Amino acid sequence: MAPRFDFSDLWAKDTRRGTPVVVKMENPNYSIVEVEEPDSAFQPMEKSRGKNAKQVTWVLLLKAHRAVGCLTWLATLFWSLLGSVKRRLSFTHPLGSERLGRDRWLFSAIKLFLAASLAILGFELVAYYRGWHYFKNPNLHIPTSKLEIQSLFHLLYVGWLSLRADYIAPPIKALSKFCIVLFLVQSVDRLVLCLGCFWIKFKKIKPRIVEAPFRNDDVEGSGSEYPMVLVQIPMCNEREVYEQSISAVCQLDWPKDRILIQVLDDSDDESIQQLIRAEVTKWSQKGVNIIYRHRLVRTGYKAGNLKSAMSCDYVEAYEFVAIFDADFQPNSDFLKLTVPHFKENPELGLVQARWAFVNKDENLLTRLQNINLCFHFEVEQQVNGVFLNFFGFNGTAGVWRIKALEESGGWLERTTVEDMDIAVRAHLHGWKFIYLNDVKVLCEVPESYEAYKKQQHRWHSGPMQLFRLCLRAILTSKIAMWKKANLILLFFLLRKLILPFYSFTLFCVILPITMFVPEAELPVWVICYVPIFMSLLNILPAPKSFPFIVPYLLFENTMSVTKFNAMVSGLFQLGSSYEWIVTKKAGRSSESDLLGLTDKESKKMPNQILRGVSDSQLMEINQVEEQKKQPVPLKKTNKIFHKELALAFLLLTAAVRSLLASQGVHFYFLLFQGLTFLLVGLDLIGEQMS
């Protein structure tokens, strides 16, 4: 047993010698403490002892000072926020509001709904201040006899209660149950996709090259072992990004006699045409096999542009075609990582690479987009590629076998989602797809809400157009029944139609209605627990975005009005279902790296760009250089989005009604969702458009 070194008893024996000491002070402001033993001097005193009026006063003054300081800080923060909002709104152009056009039907319906909600809220407020608190206690007796009716207004209020209980609540309950079922089905689909992604990660499943890739020693020579590859860069008025894109594609590591780059310019601005043509000339003088094409008649948008380029006679000599949009910057080894997968795999028609975003941290809007797109590529595309060998072509950063394009009917101009159209038709013809999650191509996401909204409208109206057009072809095709069911039920209906339908109907229509019809109130787990769980699943591929889970949930519900409107427009051919608007770019994609590479190349060959150039071409190059030096005046403006603002006032009205009924979770959800709609409607999220 270890020796015990305890001197407390010895200390106590030594210190207890003598008499106790009593200290008394005549001043009443000091307390009297009697010390009998040394331990008592170090024991904590009671809180009630040792305090007087002056100490309490000073403590209260200190707490009041801290409270005033906190309130001052909050007031300063709120005032600065209002100032920034005011400065942002000061850029709103008188004609800068959103053009509704033929999509006015949804805005009219929301306005009618808002007017009815305001009228009912006023009705309820008058009844509340008169003491008729029937909505706070649904089990309360509602007067029915004439003796219990106090006035004409009381009679109208009782009639309204009977009307909503007998005729309004039942259909709302039925619709809400239907939407909840769709919500749960879609949640199960998301969960299955996530489990499939975890299985892929656990088993380390990924596409592998069967045979050895092409030898590197043939790159500088003839490269007869390498297949012929056609690279296409479709663009339209891409002043901000054309130079970076052409520079990146021209530096692809592939034998020069086995590759041809087509710059497909659909610009209607002559100054931009001149800039792009000069950039092509510059790289052509450096020995790159590149040509410039411009259509005089711009029909069919991007599909028409690609179709026109594929009709050239020299395309017959090429076996594969790689497509890059104007803001995409592939690495130099892109073709060597994708094209070898076609070797000894004759059934393979498409190899799709992943997108990576250089401006994902630019603002809140880009961060929220990054969450969605990371889930799309990491989970949806990868799982469908591994287990089904089919997914929707993303329109860029992919390599097609030209034979697969030709057998599938080529590019068609019938929808605004030509990439999904060709993918579905190729799948119906038996071609397989491969998705490479490890091969990433840099690009941009829209930095302004206006550009993002137009992009999402095209992405959600086009699939519904395509579904109407290809449904019969899917049913009559010779593919297996489970593939037909996957195309119709999962690919189109569940992920393209049901998702925007229930999201808008459940959270933007039914939820505010149930605040005025408490008989059909939604359970808390529908508006809180399940959405948060689904948001967690969506954020898993982007773990750094976990702090943005609440803004992501609120913003996705806000975007449901745009997606629902686009879905209905595409399904029933309403409004702007066939409208193509080029997404505004900022020109941030890999700018420093590409400019460094360009400078490096220019230092190696300082005089090659001028060799063999005619006087007219030299004059054109000089004019282009002068245009680059001249700054382009940009004026940033704000837009007002009517549907989002109307829904903001609708949800805030419903929040006031839920506050009267003391519905905690419903109130906070409606309040924050309404404020999110308000911020988006005033264009206070993302960058301003120039």
Side-chain angles (χ1 to χ4, degrees), residues 134-185:
Y134 304 115
F135 53 82
K136 293 189 69 174
N137 187 4
N139 299 322
L140 199 64
H141 171 68
I142 299 177
T144 56
S145 63
K146 294 182 179 180
L147 297 176
E148 296 175 316
I149 301 299
Q150 302 175 8
S151 62
L152 178 60
F153 186 82
H154 193 196
L155 178 63
L156 293 175
Y157 184 66
V158 172
W160 156 247
L161 295 180
S162 302
L163 176 66
R164 79 183 190 189
D166 297 335
Y167 299 100
I168 300 179
I172 293 177
K173 286 182 179 180
L175 181 60
S176 62
K177 289 180 181 178
F178 177 67
C179 290
I180 290 174
V181 170
L182 296 180
F183 184 25
L184 294 177
V185 171

Side-chain angles (χ1 to χ4, degrees), residues 253-542:
D253 187 8
W254 204 255
K256 295 181 179 180
D257 61 334
R258 314 295 291 179
I259 185 175
L260 173 64
I261 301 172
Q262 288 181 320
V263 179
L264 312 177
D265 183 23
D266 258 2
S267 304
D268 53 8
D269 189 334
E270 293 184 359
S271 62
I272 299 178
Q273 296 177 21
Q274 191 176 9
L275 291 171
I276 298 175
R277 190 182 293 109
E279 185 70 17
V280 171
T281 302
K282 181 181 75 173
W283 285 101
S284 178
Q285 293 300 319
K286 291 183 179 181
V288 178
N289 194 9
I290 183 173
I291 60 175
Y292 173 86
R293 280 181 55 87
H294 177 72
R295 294 191 302 163
L296 298 178
V297 181
R298 183 192 171 197
T299 58
Y301 303 115
K302 181 180 176 181
N305 198 0
L306 294 173
K307 182 179 180 180
S308 174
M310 294 298 294
S311 63
C312 299
D313 295 336
Y314 55 79
V315 175
E316 297 179 356
Y318 293 85
E319 187 177 357
F320 306 104
V321 54
I323 303 173
F324 300 100
D325 283 350
D327 60 317
F328 279 71
Q329 323 298 329
N331 293 329
S332 59
D333 58 350
F334 175 83
L335 293 178
K336 289 191 173 182
L337 296 176
T338 55
V339 175
H341 287 274
F342 291 96
K343 195 174 182 181
E344 303 298 331
N345 195 356
E347 296 181 349
L348 183 60
L350 168 67
V351 175
Q352 173 71 59
R354 179 174 177 169
W355 299 0
F357 313 104
V358 295
N359 61 337
K360 62 183 179 180
D361 297 325
E362 192 65 28
N363 53 48
L364 178 60
L365 179 61
T366 58
R367 288 185 174 95
L368 299 179
Q369 293 180 69
N370 180 61
I371 295 174
N372 266 339
L373 291 171
C374 282
F375 182 85
H376 170 70
F377 286 104
E378 185 81 17
V379 180
E380 291 181 341
Q381 296 291 78
Q382 188 171 208
V383 171
N384 290 327
V386 169
F387 295 104
L388 302 178
N389 292 121
F390 167 73
F391 47 83
F393 175 46
N394 294 117
T396 177
V399 182
W400 276 94
R401 189 189 297 271
I402 295 181
K403 182 180 178 181
L405 291 177
E406 294 174 348
E407 288 188 359
S408 304
W411 300 104
L412 299 182
E413 307 170 10
R414 56 183 182 174
T415 68
T416 57
V417 284
E418 74 292 329
D419 45 7
M420 185 181 295
D421 188 0
I422 188 62
V424 170
R425 287 185 282 117
H427 181 58
L428 295 179
H429 282 77
W431 292 98
K432 296 181 179 180
F433 303 163
I434 283 181
Y435 172 74
L436 302 178
N437 193 57
D438 297 333
V439 181
K440 300 179 181 180
V441 181
L442 290 175
C443 64
E444 293 185 23
V445 290
E447 296 184 8
S448 68
Y449 177 71
E450 182 184 1
Y452 179 62
K453 182 176 181 179
K454 292 176 180 178
Q455 181 195 70
Q456 292 299 306
H457 187 278
R458 185 176 76 247
W459 286 3
H460 286 81
S461 64
M464 290 298 97
Q465 282 182 311
L466 181 61
F467 179 66
R468 293 176 63 256
L469 295 172
C470 69
L471 179 59
R472 178 176 297 180
I474 295 175
L475 294 175
T476 57
S477 63
K478 298 180 180 179
I479 61 175
M481 286 299 299
W482 68 270
K483 292 184 178 181
K484 295 181 181 180
N486 173 69
L487 268 177
I488 296 174
L489 299 179
L490 295 180
F491 187 76
F492 280 112
L493 291 182
L494 183 60
R495 297 166 187 166
K496 303 297 188 297
L497 187 147
I498 291 177
L499 177 59
F501 171 76
Y502 86 76
S503 181
F504 174 75
T505 306
L506 191 61
F507 297 107
C508 299
V509 178
I510 295 178
L511 181 59
I513 286 180
T514 56
M515 296 300 100
F516 301 96
V517 186
E519 293 84 358
E521 180 181 340
L522 292 175
V524 175
W525 62 269
V526 173
I527 64 174
C528 183
Y529 302 136
V530 177
I532 290 178
F533 176 70
M534 297 309 301
S535 299
L536 285 173
L537 290 182
N538 288 351
I539 291 180
L540 283 179

